[in-house]
Amino acid sequence: MAKLSNLFNKKQKSKQNDNLRQKLDPSAPKELVICRDYKDNISRIKEEMGNSSDLIIRELKIGPYPGALVFIDGLVDGKGISDFLIESIMSAELPDDNPDFDLFQFLLDNTVAFGSVKTIKNWNDLYDSLLSGCTVIFLNGYNKAISCETRGGDKRAISEPTQQLSIRGPKDSFTETLRTNTALIRRRIKSPNLQVEPMKIGTVTGTDVAILYIKGIANDKIVKEVRERITRIKIDSIMDSGYLEQLIEDQTWTSFPTTFHSERPDVISSQLLEGRVAIVVDGSPFVLSVPAIFVQFFQAPDDYYSRFDLSTSIRLLRILAFLIALIGPSLYIAATTFHQEMIPTTLAIAIAAQRENVPFPAFVEALMMEIVFEILREAGLRLPRAVGQAVSIVGALVIGQAAVEASIVSPVMVIVVSITAIANFSTPVFAMAISARLLRFALMILSAFIGFFGIMIGLMILTIHLCSLRSFGVPYMMPLAPFNWDGQQDVFIRFPVWAMKKRPKFMSKDNRLRTGTNQKPEPPKGDSS
């Protein structure tokens, strides 16, 4: 023990020499250097963190050496720290006959019972580890610290998806924890080629972000573009993947989403296998996927878990519903205002009789009903879950019936608005459904001025706009414009799984083969008995 005491005195003298060296060299970045006196380090942490109540400091002694453990309560696994860290350090048996004994290396090699342990030498890395859920160990006489991976605390359990529901398929969804989300993808793609690149964004929040892609399948140019766009971001906070989505998208002035987001691990995993790049943001249950194309927003998870004929028919019905949600009220306004000759005579007489006492033109009538329905829908989303649906349903029935009886709107208009709203709910991705809701009003205005010609002009402008969009350099209307024959296997008609042999050409250029040859199911030949 006498030798250990002498060694301790030498460490103290070394600390004094380091302090003198810092005074003689003003150019040294003193604010980034960890002090040899552990009490100075603790004082600095308390001062800079405002002596926060969740800052836990546990001072201890390892033989004759004093030290301290520092961690943030709520971000760490408290039981793991008590059982595997403090207990192992306190019960460590130090050699008493080794003059070259290094306590710091001894703890790293023999005592700290955690999987991930690293050495920290500056304050930037120290705060990064501390505020990420790690435990930092200070030893007196050392100008460095030990960081142990002790992340834990409360987090939401894996549950069923709440937005992208499916009748058949996996029932798990992403959570707000980045490592849990990457694990859900790893569970499905058991390949060493699945790359996970960590990043940090936000000068204040320091949000953890991970880029995921499959090496050998993903296009290297797209991966590089994603990496560069995220690296260029200079912002104080990233609270959700929606922040990141707005900072990396190609086009801001468009109502169409140019990045795809999903809460389902199976959807993101399948898109990674096609060659896309996934972006996981800590604190967000929605994972981004890029590049995104127009037809992708009409593909539901059920399409790939059911037979191809059923999936194709439902997908075509889904596309029809999107068109109804987009131009339904516009067709009614144009037909009743400018093109009455295109309505069958019996139906035209019935509509005219219903609108006889309505004081407003068809456009004003449709505009009022659409605005009222949007208000009801928004109110239903913001109200508590127990009363939200009841209020929206009762409100729609009562207001609609009262409006018809008061001759403010006609019964046909109530039917048109109701069908349009129901059709809007058929779009699998909420972001694309919102686009239809916004563009519907623009087409209603055009149809009110020049009828069907206004609708055609609006659809032409919309088509040109869609063809001009890009998502990370990929044309938004691929594989329709520019046309690609191989890509038609999963657009309007979903081919059988055995027939979808190649990945999309615009996503993966090298490793495109998805299935082997002769995968088509065939009945057994001959008598099976």
Side-chain angles (χ1 to χ4, degrees):
M1 296 300 293
K3 293 182 178 179
L4 289 178
S5 298
N6 293 333
L7 183 61
F8 177 70
N9 293 331
K10 291 180 180 179
K11 295 287 185 181
Q12 291 293 100
K13 292 180 180 179
S14 178
K15 182 203 73 169
Q16 296 175 359
N17 293 334
D18 284 348
N19 292 337
L20 179 61
R21 190 180 305 114
Q22 287 181 353
K23 291 180 181 179
L24 295 176
D25 185 10
S27 63
K30 182 179 179 180
E31 67 279 359
L32 297 179
V33 177
I34 296 177
C35 300
R36 291 187 178 273
D37 190 341
Y38 80 101
K39 290 188 176 180
D40 292 342
N41 296 326
I42 293 175
S43 299
R44 176 170 177 174
I45 292 176
K46 287 182 178 180
E47 179 183 357
E48 295 186 356
M49 296 192 65
N51 202 14
S52 302
S53 59
D54 59 348
L55 177 64
I56 308 300
I57 299 174
R58 171 73 161 85
E59 296 193 41
L60 44 80
K61 273 195 173 184
I62 311 168
Y65 300 96
L69 271 71
V70 183
F71 57 89
I72 304 297
D73 188 21
L75 298 181
V76 298
D77 180 10
K79 191 174 185 304
I81 293 175
S82 176
D83 295 345
F84 300 105
L85 194 58
I86 296 179
E87 184 176 346
S88 60
I89 291 177
M90 297 290 288
S91 60
E93 296 182 1
L94 306 181
D96 56 357
D97 57 351
N98 186 3
D100 298 327
F101 173 70
D102 188 349
L103 178 63
F104 193 93
Q105 194 63 39
F106 176 80
L107 292 181
L108 283 176
D109 296 340
N110 304 293
T111 306
V112 179
F114 278 94
S116 177
V117 180
K118 64 180 181 179
T119 301
I120 296 176
K121 296 184 178 181
N122 62 74
W123 282 96
N124 290 338
D125 294 340
L126 188 145
Y127 279 123
D128 183 45
S129 298
L130 186 64
L131 298 174
S132 297
C134 297
T135 299
V136 177
I137 304 175
F138 291 110
L139 296 176
N140 198 50
Y142 291 90
N143 60 346
K144 52 187 176 180
I146 300 175
S147 174
C148 308
E149 181 70 39
T150 57
R151 300 186 189 189
D154 297 331
K155 59 182 180 180
R156 185 168 64 91
I158 298 174
S159 59
E160 291 189 17
T162 57
Q163 289 192 12
Q164 299 174 344
L165 304 177
S166 65
I167 299 174
R168 182 177 181 180
K171 300 298 181 182
D172 56 345
S173 64
F174 290 120
T175 67
E176 288 77 12
T177 307
L178 182 142
R179 194 53 61 212
T180 301
N181 295 341
T182 57
L184 289 172
I185 298 175
R186 284 276 188 194
R187 186 178 300 171
R188 288 169 169 80
I189 305 177
K190 301 179 179 66
S191 171
N193 292 326
L194 177 60
Q195 307 291 306
V196 180
E197 295 185 7
M199 291 184 174
K200 278 191 179 293
I201 306 177
T203 56
V204 177
T205 59
T207 306
D208 291 317
V209 176
I211 300 175
L212 282 75
Y213 61 94
I214 301 179
K215 188 177 180 180
I217 294 180
N219 192 327
D220 293 337
K221 292 183 179 179
I222 296 178
V223 175
K224 182 181 178 182
E225 181 67 23
V226 173
R227 191 184 298 118
E228 289 179 352
R229 291 192 188 187
I230 295 179
T231 305
R232 288 198 304 262
I233 295 176
K234 304 297 179 184
I235 193 171
D236 59 348
S237 64
I238 295 290
M239 304 305 296
D240 184 80
S241 59
Y243 278 52
L244 193 65
E245 179 179 358
Q246 298 174 61
L247 293 169
I248 64 174
E249 60 186 357
D250 288 58
Q251 180 61 260
T252 299
W253 306 108
T254 179
S255 62
F256 293 99
T258 53
T259 57
F260 185 87
H261 65 270
S262 176
E263 61 177 343
R264 297 181 60 98
D266 57 325
V267 172
I268 297 298
S269 299
S270 64
Q271 293 182 3
L272 286 171
L273 291 168
E274 286 185 346
R276 290 182 170 88
V277 181
I279 305 172
V280 185
V281 179
D282 190 32
S284 175
F286 290 92
V287 175
L288 303 179
S289 173
V290 293
I293 56 176
F294 182 74
V295 297
Q296 179 183 351
F297 294 91
F298 299 95
Q299 300 169 350
D302 289 339
D303 293 352
Y304 305 95
Y305 304 139
S306 305
R307 287 177 50 85
F308 77 98
D309 49 354
L310 300 176
S311 301
T312 300
S313 59
I314 294 175
R315 182 178 294 182
L316 293 175
L317 181 64
R318 204 177 293 135
I319 296 173
L320 176 63
F322 178 79
L323 294 175
I324 293 175
L326 185 63
I327 63 175
S330 304
L331 291 175
Y332 174 79
I333 294 171
T336 56
T337 305
F338 296 97
H339 310 283
Q340 296 89 349
E341 71 279 359
M342 299 188 67
I343 306 175
T345 305
T346 306
L347 180 60
I349 294 173
I351 293 176
Q354 293 177 7
R355 300 195 70 255
E356 183 178 2
N357 296 324
V358 177
F360 305 108
F363 169 69
V364 177
E365 187 183 0
L367 187 63
M368 288 192 303
M369 288 300 297
E370 285 290 346
I371 292 176
V372 169
F373 190 84
E374 292 296 332
I375 293 173
L376 287 172
R377 176 157 41 187
E378 189 67 17
L381 290 175
R382 306 305 169 195
L383 286 171
R385 186 175 300 176
V387 297
Q389 294 181 354
V391 169
S392 59
I393 293 173
V394 172
L397 292 175
V398 172
I399 293 176
Q401 183 66 27
V404 171
E405 292 180 356
S407 297
I408 297 177
V409 296
S410 62
V412 177
M413 178 56 69
V414 175
I415 296 174
V416 171
V417 173
S418 301
I419 293 175
T420 303
I422 294 173
N424 191 251
F425 290 132
S426 301
T427 306
V429 182
F430 184 68
M432 184 59 71
I434 292 180
S435 299
R437 287 164 57 183
L438 293 176
L439 294 170
R440 184 191 310 153
F441 289 95
L443 292 174
M444 286 169 55
I445 295 173
L446 289 173
S447 64
F449 281 100
I450 47 179
F452 286 154
F453 298 103
I455 297 176
M456 295 304 299
I457 292 173
L459 293 178
M460 289 173 61
I461 295 174
L462 194 60
T463 303
I464 295 172
H465 174 68
L466 286 171
C467 293
S468 67
L469 292 178
R470 296 288 186 275
S471 178
F472 287 81
V474 175
Y476 194 59
M477 292 301 292
M478 284 286 291
L480 298 174
F483 185 82
N484 177 258
W485 177 252
D486 291 339
Q488 305 304 314
Q489 300 174 351
D490 195 20
V491 180
F492 300 108
I493 300 176
R494 203 274 285 176
F495 279 35
V497 175
W498 54 265
M500 300 170 64
K501 297 181 180 180
K502 294 182 179 180
R503 296 184 178 89
K505 183 178 181 180
F506 54 90
M507 296 294 177
S508 178
K509 295 184 178 180
D510 298 328
N511 187 3
R512 293 192 58 206
L513 189 62
R514 183 155 37 188
T515 65
T517 57
N518 300 323
Q519 298 292 311
K520 181 179 179 180
E522 294 182 358
K525 298 179 180 180
D527 189 0
S528 60
S529 61

